[in-house]
Amino acid sequence: MRLAVAERGAPLTTREVAEAMDVPYTHMAKAISRLQHLGVVEARRGRGGGLALTTLGHQASVGWLVRELEGEDEVVACEGDTPCPLRAACRLRGALRDAQEAFYATLDPLTVSDVVAAPTGPVLVGLTSRPAG
């Protein structure tokens, strides 16, 4: 979201985004790497380099991004080393899956550009580690 409101010609670095969003640099670097792999962020090295949101990044569905970043695993793991004894007759598992699908369905029509519209965008622009000037 922060990259979606960055000024053209003034790309941010991973460190600047991490500081502005108050997250550890290593966490942000992993997130940027994943977003770059998905094609929503472009990273350029060297002088004049930095991070930029791609056209896909601006137009990406928030639901798609969350699915890609978080995975679509079930909310509750009913299988595994010790499977749940109710797995064959459980009504909760289906209800939780329906709730998860409803969550994604709510996010699917939203794009990154939608979620950075005012009043969010101006607040994001104000979150910077760069000195004013």
Side-chain angles (χ1 to χ4, degrees):
M1 289 172 60
R2 179 61 184 93
L3 293 176
V5 296
E7 294 180 35
R8 297 222 185 266
L12 298 169
T13 66
T14 301
R15 187 162 309 282
E16 288 170 329
V17 175
E19 288 173 3
M21 302 308 295
D22 198 24
V23 298
Y25 171 79
T26 54
H27 178 77
M28 185 59 68
K30 288 177 187 176
I32 293 295
S33 176
R34 183 74 177 113
L35 292 169
Q36 188 177 6
H37 177 75
L38 291 171
V40 297
V41 170
E42 178 184 27
R44 290 166 295 194
R45 293 182 179 266
R47 186 178 176 114
L51 305 171
L53 204 60
T54 65
T55 301
L56 172 62
H58 284 281
Q59 297 171 353
S61 158
V62 174
W64 173 76
L65 279 169
V66 172
R67 281 182 186 93
E68 291 296 319
L69 296 172
E70 300 296 329
E72 290 190 74
D73 294 339
E74 291 191 23
V75 176
V76 175
C78 300
E79 306 297 330
D81 293 339
T82 309
C84 177
L86 297 176
R87 70 185 179 281
C90 183
R91 297 180 71 192
L92 179 60
R93 184 178 186 180
L96 290 171
R97 183 65 182 169
D98 290 347
Q100 184 178 23
E101 285 305 313
F103 169 77
Y104 287 127
T106 301
L107 296 176
D108 282 338
L110 295 172
T111 66
V112 173
S113 290
D114 292 335
V115 297
V116 298
T120 306
V123 173
L124 284 164
V125 170
L127 298 177
T128 181
S129 60
R130 289 183 178 176

